[in-house]
Amino acid sequence: MSDATAFHRMTPVQIKICGVTNVRDAEACVDLGAQLIGLNFWPQSPRYIQPDTARQIVDALPADVTAVGVFVDGNAEEIRKTANIAGVRCVQLHGNFTPEIARELAREFRVIRAFCTYAQFRPEDVSLFPDCAVLIDAYHPHLRGGTGQTCDWSAVRATLAFARFVILSGGLNPQNVASAIKAVTPHAVDVCSGVESAPGVKDHRAIKNFIAAVHTAERLVHATSTHNVILSEAKDLGSISERNSSK
């Protein structure tokens, strides 16, 4: 079928807004159409929030919206404790997490394993984490997300062959997300600094424009994928007809 399996059989692109720090911004993200809200538990991040603050945000979310706890390094027990205090049922792992730790956490939580497209990144490496969704971000020597830098989109597209669910992150904003979706055809997109007026302060108009751009890109990619599938099927039928007539 190609065309990323006809754009994953026309499933909608999910939208994750990361680095949310307060209830008001979380509710705006949901009202505007986000399906996932990222809450940062890395103390070195300018978007870090305490687990009890995160709990207030989680309690304000509707049941069909997923709160994602973002963690950098650490062990399974520390992550489990923080996640349970905050009330998140999905954890996103950046840094030095082994497949064994991811597998252990996957018994309790939905797990998103984050990778960066640095020089040594290999798309097939994501297959070491079969229990996880995969998020691909831009490489930064010190920061873990929210850098505003784009990643290697061709490398992200290549991971589609090795992961069941791929989230594209890294420098996305209302101006480039449509091009990113067209280039990668991810299952979901993740935005942080691209919809902020300051670190941890969301710009609601930018969120609205970002989500509108995602939906526009979806329609265009779906239309292109459908057209290409029809052309491919017509070509196949033509080949069959030619073979039959030559008998």
Side-chain angles (χ1 to χ4, degrees):
M1 184 173 285
S2 73
D3 280 307
T5 313
F7 199 39
H8 320 302
R9 298 189 182 276
M10 312 308 180
T11 55
V13 177
Q14 294 186 32
I15 298 167
K16 177 173 175 279
I17 311 292
C18 205
V20 173
T21 60
N22 59 77
V23 170
R24 178 175 175 269
D25 283 350
E27 291 177 335
C29 292
V30 173
D31 291 343
L32 292 167
Q35 293 83 28
L36 302 101
I37 303 296
L39 308 171
N40 198 313
F41 297 126
W42 187 40
Q44 297 180 49
S45 171
R47 302 170 184 87
Y48 169 77
I49 57 174
Q50 294 279 353
D52 55 349
T53 301
R55 186 63 185 239
Q56 296 173 22
I57 296 171
V58 172
D59 288 346
L61 298 176
D64 60 345
V65 173
T66 300
V68 181
V70 178
F71 296 88
V72 177
D73 298 331
N75 59 55
E77 185 55 37
E78 292 169 343
I79 291 168
R80 185 180 294 110
K81 179 180 178 180
T82 299
N84 287 334
I85 293 171
V88 301
R89 305 311 307 160
C90 178
V91 297
Q92 180 174 309
L93 309 178
H94 293 252
N96 299 315
F97 287 101
T98 64
E100 290 73 25
I101 291 177
R103 190 179 306 116
E104 178 183 346
L105 288 169
R107 298 190 187 107
E108 287 184 62
F109 305 95
R110 177 184 174 188
V111 179
I112 300 171
R113 180 64 167 98
F115 293 83
C116 296
T117 56
Y118 65 115
Q120 288 76 39
F121 173 74
R122 300 184 307 166
E124 59 267 30
D125 289 345
V126 307
S127 64
L128 297 173
F129 295 83
D131 304 305
C132 304
V134 169
L135 180 143
I136 311 293
D137 201 352
Y139 172 74
H140 191 281
H142 307 298
L143 301 178
R144 298 294 184 270
T147 65
Q149 299 176 7
T150 56
C151 63
D152 181 348
W153 291 347
S154 63
V156 183
R157 186 179 178 93
T159 65
L160 293 171
F162 302 99
R164 56 185 174 80
F165 193 92
V166 174
I167 305 169
L168 172 63
S169 187
L172 298 181
N173 57 53
Q175 290 72 45
N176 68 8
V177 69
S179 297
I181 290 172
K182 181 178 179 181
V184 178
T185 64
H187 300 92
V189 290
D190 175 285
V191 64
C192 185
S193 63
V195 292
E196 288 183 330
S197 57
V201 181
K202 299 308 178 191
D203 181 330
H204 298 182
R205 181 179 294 276
I207 293 171
K208 180 178 180 180
N209 292 340
F210 181 89
I211 292 175
V214 170
H215 293 326
T216 298
E218 274 184 321
R219 290 192 292 270
L220 290 173
V221 175
H222 286 171
T224 301
S225 297
T226 301
H227 178 68
N228 289 342
V229 169
I230 291 172
L231 287 178
S232 177
E233 290 176 346
K235 182 179 179 180
D236 289 343
L237 288 173
S239 299
I240 292 170
S241 177
E242 290 172 5
R243 288 197 299 270
N244 288 340
S245 65
S246 65
K247 291 181 179 178

PDB file of all heavy atoms in Angstrom, residues 8 12 47 103 117 136 150-151 186 229 232 242 245:
ATOM      1  N   HIS A   8      -1.374   5.312   7.772  1.00  0.00           N
ATOM      2  CA  HIS A   8      -1.848   4.521   8.904  1.00  0.00           C
ATOM      3  C   HIS A   8      -3.363   4.304   8.819  1.00  0.00           C
ATOM      4  O   HIS A   8      -4.090   4.434   9.802  1.00  0.00           O
ATOM      5  CB  HIS A   8      -1.484   5.186  10.226  1.00  0.00           C
ATOM      6  CG  HIS A   8      -0.123   5.795  10.242  1.00  0.00           C
ATOM      7  ND1 HIS A   8       1.016   5.056   9.987  1.00  0.00           N
ATOM      8  CD2 HIS A   8       0.293   7.071  10.461  1.00  0.00           C
ATOM      9  CE1 HIS A   8       2.069   5.863  10.070  1.00  0.00           C
ATOM     10  NE2 HIS A   8       1.659   7.070  10.342  1.00  0.00           N
ATOM     11  N   PRO A  12      -6.526   9.576  12.666  1.00  0.00           N
ATOM     12  CA  PRO A  12      -6.179  10.960  12.952  1.00  0.00           C
ATOM     13  C   PRO A  12      -4.831  11.077  13.662  1.00  0.00           C
ATOM     14  O   PRO A  12      -4.436  10.190  14.423  1.00  0.00           O
ATOM     15  CB  PRO A  12      -7.314  11.428  13.884  1.00  0.00           C
ATOM     16  CG  PRO A  12      -8.430  10.467  13.653  1.00  0.00           C
ATOM     17  CD  PRO A  12      -7.781   9.170  13.311  1.00  0.00           C
ATOM     18  N   ARG A  47      10.162  24.086  32.931  1.00  0.00           N
ATOM     19  CA  ARG A  47       8.739  23.733  32.968  1.00  0.00           C
ATOM     20  C   ARG A  47       8.440  22.691  34.055  1.00  0.00           C
ATOM     21  O   ARG A  47       7.360  22.109  34.059  1.00  0.00           O
ATOM     22  CB  ARG A  47       8.298  23.227  31.595  1.00  0.00           C
ATOM     23  CG  ARG A  47       8.537  24.258  30.488  1.00  0.00           C
ATOM     24  CD  ARG A  47       8.343  23.686  29.095  1.00  0.00           C
ATOM     25  NE  ARG A  47       8.662  24.668  28.087  1.00  0.00           N
ATOM     26  CZ  ARG A  47       9.884  24.885  27.593  1.00  0.00           C
ATOM     27  NH1 ARG A  47      10.914  24.172  28.054  1.00  0.00           N
ATOM     28  NH2 ARG A  47      10.099  25.809  26.680  1.00  0.00           N
ATOM     29  N   ARG A 103      10.047  -2.150  30.272  1.00  0.00           N
ATOM     30  CA  ARG A 103       9.138  -3.291  30.326  1.00  0.00           C
ATOM     31  C   ARG A 103       8.472  -3.394  31.695  1.00  0.00           C
ATOM     32  O   ARG A 103       7.272  -3.673  31.800  1.00  0.00           O
ATOM     33  CB  ARG A 103       9.906  -4.573  30.010  1.00  0.00           C
ATOM     34  CG  ARG A 103       9.023  -5.801  29.809  1.00  0.00           C
ATOM     35  CD  ARG A 103       9.855  -7.027  29.468  1.00  0.00           C
ATOM     36  NE  ARG A 103      10.733  -6.779  28.329  1.00  0.00           N
ATOM     37  CZ  ARG A 103      12.058  -6.793  28.399  1.00  0.00           C
ATOM     38  NH1 ARG A 103      12.671  -7.055  29.539  1.00  0.00           N
ATOM     39  NH2 ARG A 103      12.778  -6.564  27.317  1.00  0.00           N
ATOM     40  N   THR A 117      17.591  12.381  17.605  1.00  0.00           N
ATOM     41  CA  THR A 117      18.260  12.084  16.339  1.00  0.00           C
ATOM     42  C   THR A 117      19.668  12.684  16.337  1.00  0.00           C
ATOM     43  O   THR A 117      19.984  13.562  15.552  1.00  0.00           O
ATOM     44  CB  THR A 117      17.443  12.618  15.140  1.00  0.00           C
ATOM     45  OG1 THR A 117      17.220  14.029  15.329  1.00  0.00           O
ATOM     46  CG2 THR A 117      16.124  11.915  15.014  1.00  0.00           C
ATOM     47  N   ILE A 136      10.383  10.826  19.056  1.00  0.00           N
ATOM     48  CA  ILE A 136      11.680  11.221  18.502  1.00  0.00           C
ATOM     49  C   ILE A 136      11.796  12.735  18.578  1.00  0.00           C
ATOM     50  O   ILE A 136      10.958  13.468  18.064  1.00  0.00           O
ATOM     51  CB  ILE A 136      11.849  10.767  17.041  1.00  0.00           C
ATOM     52  CG1 ILE A 136      11.481   9.289  16.883  1.00  0.00           C
ATOM     53  CG2 ILE A 136      13.280  11.014  16.587  1.00  0.00           C
ATOM     54  CD1 ILE A 136      12.387   8.330  17.574  1.00  0.00           C
ATOM     55  N   THR A 150      14.505  21.531  15.521  1.00  0.00           N
ATOM     56  CA  THR A 150      13.871  20.425  14.803  1.00  0.00           C
ATOM     57  C   THR A 150      14.833  19.244  14.712  1.00  0.00           C
ATOM     58  O   THR A 150      16.049  19.397  14.782  1.00  0.00           O
ATOM     59  CB  THR A 150      13.454  20.844  13.384  1.00  0.00           C
ATOM     60  OG1 THR A 150      14.600  21.348  12.681  1.00  0.00           O
ATOM     61  CG2 THR A 150      12.375  21.912  13.430  1.00  0.00           C
ATOM     62  N   CYS A 151      14.240  18.054  14.572  1.00  0.00           N
ATOM     63  CA  CYS A 151      15.053  16.857  14.435  1.00  0.00           C
ATOM     64  C   CYS A 151      15.113  16.427  12.972  1.00  0.00           C
ATOM     65  O   CYS A 151      14.563  17.102  12.088  1.00  0.00           O
ATOM     66  CB  CYS A 151      14.503  15.744  15.313  1.00  0.00           C
ATOM     67  SG  CYS A 151      12.844  15.220  14.871  1.00  0.00           S
ATOM     68  N   PRO A 186       3.574  10.831  11.033  1.00  0.00           N
ATOM     69  CA  PRO A 186       3.617  10.218  12.364  1.00  0.00           C
ATOM     70  C   PRO A 186       2.230   9.871  12.871  1.00  0.00           C
ATOM     71  O   PRO A 186       1.219  10.323  12.334  1.00  0.00           O
ATOM     72  CB  PRO A 186       4.244  11.330  13.219  1.00  0.00           C
ATOM     73  CG  PRO A 186       3.710  12.584  12.583  1.00  0.00           C
ATOM     74  CD  PRO A 186       3.703  12.296  11.093  1.00  0.00           C
ATOM     75  N   VAL A 229      -3.188   5.424  -3.599  1.00  0.00           N
ATOM     76  CA  VAL A 229      -3.674   4.051  -3.478  1.00  0.00           C
ATOM     77  C   VAL A 229      -4.578   3.707  -4.663  1.00  0.00           C
ATOM     78  O   VAL A 229      -4.482   2.633  -5.251  1.00  0.00           O
ATOM     79  CB  VAL A 229      -4.417   3.850  -2.143  1.00  0.00           C
ATOM     80  CG1 VAL A 229      -5.165   2.517  -2.135  1.00  0.00           C
ATOM     81  CG2 VAL A 229      -3.436   3.892  -0.987  1.00  0.00           C
ATOM     82  N   SER A 232      -2.478   3.194  -7.647  1.00  0.00           N
ATOM     83  CA  SER A 232      -1.759   1.929  -7.559  1.00  0.00           C
ATOM     84  C   SER A 232      -2.678   0.755  -7.875  1.00  0.00           C
ATOM     85  O   SER A 232      -2.307  -0.166  -8.609  1.00  0.00           O
ATOM     86  CB  SER A 232      -1.160   1.776  -6.163  1.00  0.00           C
ATOM     87  OG  SER A 232      -0.524   0.531  -6.023  1.00  0.00           O
ATOM     88  N   GLU A 242      -3.940  -6.827 -18.772  1.00  0.00           N
ATOM     89  CA  GLU A 242      -2.995  -7.071 -19.856  1.00  0.00           C
ATOM     90  C   GLU A 242      -2.526  -8.510 -19.870  1.00  0.00           C
ATOM     91  O   GLU A 242      -2.405  -9.131 -20.935  1.00  0.00           O
ATOM     92  CB  GLU A 242      -1.795  -6.120 -19.702  1.00  0.00           C
ATOM     93  CG  GLU A 242      -2.143  -4.658 -19.991  1.00  0.00           C
ATOM     94  CD  GLU A 242      -0.998  -3.738 -19.648  1.00  0.00           C
ATOM     95  OE1 GLU A 242       0.080  -4.256 -19.286  1.00  0.00           O
ATOM     96  OE2 GLU A 242      -1.170  -2.524 -19.729  1.00  0.00           O
ATOM     97  N   SER A 245      -5.367 -10.747 -21.221  1.00  0.00           N
ATOM     98  CA  SER A 245      -5.611 -10.606 -22.656  1.00  0.00           C
ATOM     99  C   SER A 245      -4.530 -11.223 -23.501  1.00  0.00           C
ATOM    100  O   SER A 245      -4.719 -11.521 -24.682  1.00  0.00           O
ATOM    101  CB  SER A 245      -5.764  -9.111 -23.011  1.00  0.00           C
ATOM    102  OG  SER A 245      -4.558  -8.428 -22.787  1.00  0.00           O
TER     103      SER A 245
END
